[in-house]
Protein backbone atom coordinates (compact mmCIF):
# COMPACT_ATOMS: atom_id res chain seq x y z
CA UNK A 1 0.00 0.00 0.00
CA UNK A 2 1.40 3.38 -0.95
CA UNK A 3 1.06 6.12 1.65
CA UNK A 4 -1.07 8.25 -0.64
CA UNK A 5 -3.55 5.38 -1.05
CA UNK A 6 -4.45 5.59 2.63
CA UNK A 7 -7.03 8.25 1.83
CA UNK A 8 -8.70 6.17 -0.90
CA UNK A 9 -9.56 3.03 1.07
CA UNK A 10 -12.96 2.36 2.61
CA UNK A 11 -13.60 2.99 6.30
CA UNK A 12 -13.95 -0.69 7.17
CA UNK A 13 -10.57 -1.55 5.66
CA UNK A 14 -9.01 1.47 7.37
CA UNK A 15 -10.38 0.25 10.73
CA UNK A 16 -8.88 -3.19 10.08
CA UNK A 17 -5.50 -1.60 9.35
CA UNK A 18 -5.70 0.40 12.61
CA UNK A 19 -6.64 -2.75 14.56
CA UNK A 20 -3.72 -4.64 13.03
CA UNK A 21 -1.41 -1.72 13.84
CA UNK A 22 -2.53 -1.76 17.48
CA UNK A 23 -1.98 -5.52 17.75
CA UNK A 24 1.44 -5.21 16.15
CA UNK A 25 2.44 -2.37 18.49
CA UNK A 26 1.19 -4.24 21.54
CA UNK A 27 3.28 -7.27 20.54
CA UNK A 28 6.42 -5.49 19.37
CA UNK A 29 6.70 -2.05 21.01
CA UNK A 30 7.46 -1.97 24.74
CA UNK A 31 6.51 1.70 25.12
CA UNK A 32 3.11 1.12 23.52
CA UNK A 33 2.54 -2.06 25.55
CA UNK A 34 3.28 -0.15 28.78
CA UNK A 35 0.92 2.72 27.83
CA UNK A 36 -1.81 0.23 26.89
CA UNK A 37 -1.43 -1.59 30.21
CA UNK A 38 -1.72 1.68 32.16
CA UNK A 39 -4.77 2.64 30.11
CA UNK A 40 -6.48 -0.74 30.62
CA UNK A 41 -5.68 -0.75 34.36
CA UNK A 42 -7.36 2.64 34.84
CA UNK A 43 -10.39 1.54 32.83
CA UNK A 44 -10.68 -1.61 34.98
CA UNK A 45 -10.38 0.31 38.27
CA UNK A 46 -12.78 3.12 37.31
CA UNK A 47 -15.88 1.65 35.64
CA UNK A 48 -17.55 5.07 35.31
CA UNK A 49 -14.81 6.12 32.91
CA UNK A 50 -15.44 3.04 30.82
CA UNK A 51 -19.11 4.03 30.55
CA UNK A 52 -18.15 7.53 29.45
CA UNK A 53 -15.82 6.28 26.70
CA UNK A 54 -17.71 3.23 25.50
CA UNK A 55 -21.35 4.19 25.98
CA UNK A 56 -21.05 7.98 25.79
CA UNK A 57 -23.08 8.34 28.97
CA UNK A 58 -22.80 11.64 30.91
CA UNK A 59 -21.90 10.92 34.53
CA UNK A 60 -20.87 12.87 37.60
CA UNK A 61 -17.27 12.17 38.55
CA UNK A 62 -15.49 12.57 41.88
CA UNK A 63 -12.05 14.20 42.19
CA UNK A 64 -10.10 10.93 41.78
CA UNK A 65 -12.13 9.94 38.70
CA UNK A 66 -11.47 13.38 37.16
CA UNK A 67 -7.72 12.94 37.71
CA UNK A 68 -7.85 9.49 36.11
CA UNK A 69 -9.92 10.82 33.19
CA UNK A 70 -7.18 13.35 32.47
CA UNK A 71 -4.57 10.60 32.74
CA UNK A 72 -6.56 8.41 30.32
CA UNK A 73 -6.70 11.21 27.78
CA UNK A 74 -2.93 11.76 28.08
CA UNK A 75 -2.25 8.03 27.66
CA UNK A 76 -4.62 7.90 24.68
CA UNK A 77 -2.83 10.81 22.98
CA UNK A 78 0.56 9.13 23.45
CA UNK A 79 -0.75 5.84 22.05
CA UNK A 80 -2.30 7.70 19.10
CA UNK A 81 1.08 9.25 18.29
CA UNK A 82 2.73 5.81 18.23
CA UNK A 83 -0.13 4.43 16.11
CA UNK A 84 0.14 7.35 13.70
CA UNK A 85 3.89 6.85 13.33
CA UNK A 86 3.40 3.12 12.78
CA UNK A 87 0.67 3.71 10.18
CA UNK A 88 2.93 6.08 8.26
CA UNK A 89 5.50 3.28 8.13
CA UNK A 90 2.95 0.48 7.89
CA UNK A 91 4.34 -1.33 4.85
CA UNK A 92 7.12 -2.81 6.98
CA UNK A 93 5.89 -5.08 9.76
CA UNK A 94 6.38 -8.31 11.66
CA UNK A 95 4.96 -11.51 10.16
CA UNK A 96 3.23 -12.77 13.31
CA UNK A 97 2.59 -16.22 11.78
CA UNK A 98 6.35 -16.91 11.62
CA UNK A 99 8.52 -18.02 14.53
CA UNK A 100 12.22 -17.47 15.04
CA UNK A 101 14.08 -20.58 16.19
CA UNK A 102 17.79 -19.96 16.57
CA UNK A 103 18.83 -18.06 13.44
CA UNK A 104 15.98 -19.45 11.32
CA UNK A 105 12.60 -17.91 10.55
CA UNK A 106 10.06 -20.73 10.33
CA UNK A 107 6.40 -20.90 9.45
CA UNK A 108 3.99 -23.78 10.11
CA UNK A 109 0.29 -24.35 10.87
CA UNK A 110 -0.48 -23.66 7.24
CA UNK A 111 -4.08 -24.84 7.51
CA UNK A 112 -6.31 -24.19 10.53
CA UNK A 113 -10.08 -23.92 11.03
CA UNK A 114 -9.98 -20.21 10.21
CA UNK A 115 -6.77 -19.61 8.25
CA UNK A 116 -4.74 -20.76 5.25
CA UNK A 117 -1.12 -19.90 4.48
CA UNK A 118 0.92 -20.47 1.33
CA UNK A 119 4.62 -19.69 0.89
CA UNK A 120 5.83 -19.01 -2.66
CA UNK A 121 9.58 -19.48 -2.92
CA UNK A 122 11.65 -19.60 -6.11
CA UNK A 123 8.64 -20.57 -8.23
CA UNK A 124 7.38 -23.30 -5.88
CA UNK A 125 4.40 -23.24 -3.50
CA UNK A 126 4.42 -24.69 0.02
CA UNK A 127 1.27 -25.07 2.12
CA UNK A 128 2.01 -27.79 4.66
CA UNK A 129 4.59 -29.06 7.15
CA UNK A 130 7.22 -26.54 8.36
CA UNK A 131 8.92 -24.11 5.99
CA UNK A 132 12.10 -22.13 6.58
CA UNK A 133 11.53 -18.66 5.12
CA UNK A 134 14.07 -16.86 2.96
CA UNK A 135 14.42 -13.24 1.92
CA UNK A 136 12.21 -12.67 -1.13
CA UNK A 137 9.68 -15.38 -0.24
CA UNK A 138 6.04 -14.38 -0.72
CA UNK A 139 3.54 -15.37 1.95
CA UNK A 140 -0.21 -15.44 1.25
CA UNK A 141 -2.58 -15.56 4.23
CA UNK A 142 -6.37 -15.76 4.19
CA UNK A 143 -8.44 -15.68 7.38
CA UNK A 144 -12.10 -16.36 8.04
CA UNK A 145 -13.88 -13.82 10.24
CA UNK A 146 -17.54 -13.93 11.35
CA UNK A 147 -18.81 -11.76 8.45
CA UNK A 148 -15.96 -11.64 5.96
CA UNK A 149 -12.65 -13.11 4.85
CA UNK A 150 -9.32 -11.33 4.54
CA UNK A 151 -6.42 -11.83 2.16
CA UNK A 152 -2.90 -10.50 2.66
CA UNK A 153 0.29 -10.83 0.64
CA UNK A 154 3.57 -10.31 2.51
CA UNK A 155 7.14 -10.41 1.18
CA UNK A 156 9.98 -11.43 3.50
CA UNK A 157 12.64 -8.71 3.63
CA UNK A 158 14.75 -9.84 6.60
CA UNK A 159 15.46 -13.01 8.55
CA UNK A 160 16.93 -11.24 11.56
CA UNK A 161 15.08 -7.93 12.07
CA UNK A 162 11.90 -7.88 14.13
CA UNK A 163 10.08 -6.13 11.28
CA UNK A 164 10.77 -8.86 8.76
CA UNK A 165 8.23 -8.38 5.97
CA UNK A 166 6.58 -5.88 3.69
CA UNK A 167 2.82 -5.79 3.16
CA UNK A 168 2.30 -5.97 -0.60
CA UNK A 169 -1.50 -6.27 -0.77
CA UNK A 170 -4.44 -6.51 1.62
CA UNK A 171 -8.17 -6.84 1.01
CA UNK A 172 -11.33 -7.83 2.89
CA UNK A 173 -14.23 -9.64 1.18
CA UNK A 174 -17.84 -9.63 2.36
CA UNK A 175 -19.21 -11.22 -0.80
CA UNK A 176 -17.39 -14.54 -1.26
CA UNK A 177 -18.72 -14.87 -4.80
CA UNK A 178 -17.18 -11.59 -5.90
CA UNK A 179 -13.43 -12.01 -5.39
CA UNK A 180 -11.88 -9.07 -7.22
CA UNK A 181 -8.09 -9.19 -6.92
CA UNK A 182 -5.34 -7.87 -9.21
CA UNK A 183 -3.72 -11.17 -10.20
CA UNK A 184 -4.49 -14.82 -10.83
CA UNK A 185 -2.20 -16.15 -8.06
CA UNK A 186 -4.26 -14.27 -5.46
CA UNK A 187 -7.49 -15.51 -6.99
CA UNK A 188 -6.33 -19.13 -7.08
CA UNK A 189 -5.22 -19.02 -3.43
CA UNK A 190 -8.50 -17.45 -2.24
CA UNK A 191 -10.60 -19.94 -4.24
CA UNK A 192 -8.66 -22.80 -2.61
CA UNK A 193 -9.21 -21.17 0.80
CA UNK A 194 -12.97 -21.01 0.12
CA UNK A 195 -13.05 -24.71 -0.80
CA UNK A 196 -11.08 -25.76 2.27
CA UNK A 197 -13.40 -23.78 4.55
CA UNK A 198 -16.71 -24.53 2.81
CA UNK A 199 -17.40 -20.91 1.93
Amino acid sequence: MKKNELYNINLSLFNDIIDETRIKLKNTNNEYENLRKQYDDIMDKFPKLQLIFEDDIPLELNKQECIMLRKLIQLGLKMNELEKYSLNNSKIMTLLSANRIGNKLLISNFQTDTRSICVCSEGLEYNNSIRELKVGDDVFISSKKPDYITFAHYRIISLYAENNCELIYFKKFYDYNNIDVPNSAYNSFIEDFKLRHNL
Side-chain angles (χ1 to χ4, degrees):
M1 179 194 323
K2 296 175 185 173
K3 287 182 186 177
N4 63 358
E5 290 176 347
L6 191 62
Y7 303 100
N8 297 324
I9 61 178
N10 65 49
L11 183 60
S12 177
L13 178 55
F14 183 66
N15 287 335
D16 278 355
I17 293 170
I18 290 174
D19 287 343
E20 287 183 3
T21 299
R22 288 175 175 154
I23 291 167
K24 181 187 81 170
L25 284 169
K26 191 173 179 183
N27 291 328
T28 62
N29 185 302
N30 290 335
E31 181 184 1
Y32 186 86
E33 183 183 12
N34 183 43
L35 292 169
R36 183 84 243 179
K37 185 177 182 318
Q38 291 179 59
Y39 187 93
D40 291 342
D41 287 347
I42 292 172
M43 288 292 260
D44 289 341
K45 290 176 185 170
F46 297 90
K48 274 189 185 178
L49 300 182
Q50 193 166 351
L51 290 172
I52 289 172
F53 280 100
E54 293 179 2
D55 297 331
D56 198 23
I57 297 173
L59 295 169
E60 220 174 282
L61 302 177
N62 62 34
K63 183 177 179 181
Q64 183 66 20
E65 289 166 335
C66 288
I67 292 169
M68 289 300 110
L69 177 60
R70 192 173 77 193
K71 176 82 171 166
L72 273 180
I73 292 169
Q74 291 169 344
L75 290 168
L77 290 172
K78 288 178 184 176
M79 288 190 296
N80 286 342
E81 281 301 311
L82 291 172
E83 290 164 7
K84 181 179 173 184
Y85 177 81
S86 184
L87 276 170
N88 288 335
N89 297 280
S90 62
K91 285 186 75 171
I92 307 302
M93 55 188 55
T94 302
L95 185 61
L96 299 176
S97 303
N99 296 302
R100 185 173 314 289
I101 299 183
N103 61 354
K104 296 180 178 179
L105 189 62
L106 304 176
I107 194 164
S108 60
N109 297 323
F110 284 85
Q111 308 299 331
T112 71
D113 290 342
T114 59
R115 186 187 69 198
S116 287
I117 297 174
C118 179
V119 175
C120 303
S121 181
E122 298 175 350
L124 300 174
E125 293 184 1
Y126 304 88
N127 59 14
N128 56 36
S129 191
I130 298 173
R131 176 73 188 162
E132 182 180 347
L133 295 170
K134 297 181 290 191
V135 171
D137 283 357
D138 292 294
V139 181
F140 295 170
I141 302 177
S142 270
S143 297
K144 181 172 68 170
K145 308 292 183 182
D147 300 318
Y148 57 90
I149 59 175
T150 61
F151 170 77
H153 171 196
Y154 302 94
R155 181 162 295 137
I156 302 301
I157 59 170
S158 173
L159 301 179
Y160 307 106
E162 191 170 303
N163 292 328
N164 51 25
C165 69
E166 178 181 11
L167 178 64
I168 304 298
Y169 183 81
F170 176 85
K171 191 163 184 179
K172 185 182 341 183
F173 304 95
Y174 290 95
D175 181 358
Y176 306 157
N177 297 315
N178 184 21
I179 303 300
D180 180 25
V181 287
N183 70 50
S184 59
Y186 293 175
N187 190 70
S188 176
F189 175 77
I190 296 167
E191 290 300 328
D192 180 68
F193 173 78
K194 285 166 52 182
L195 282 174
R196 287 178 186 270
H197 294 85
N198 299 313
L199 297 172

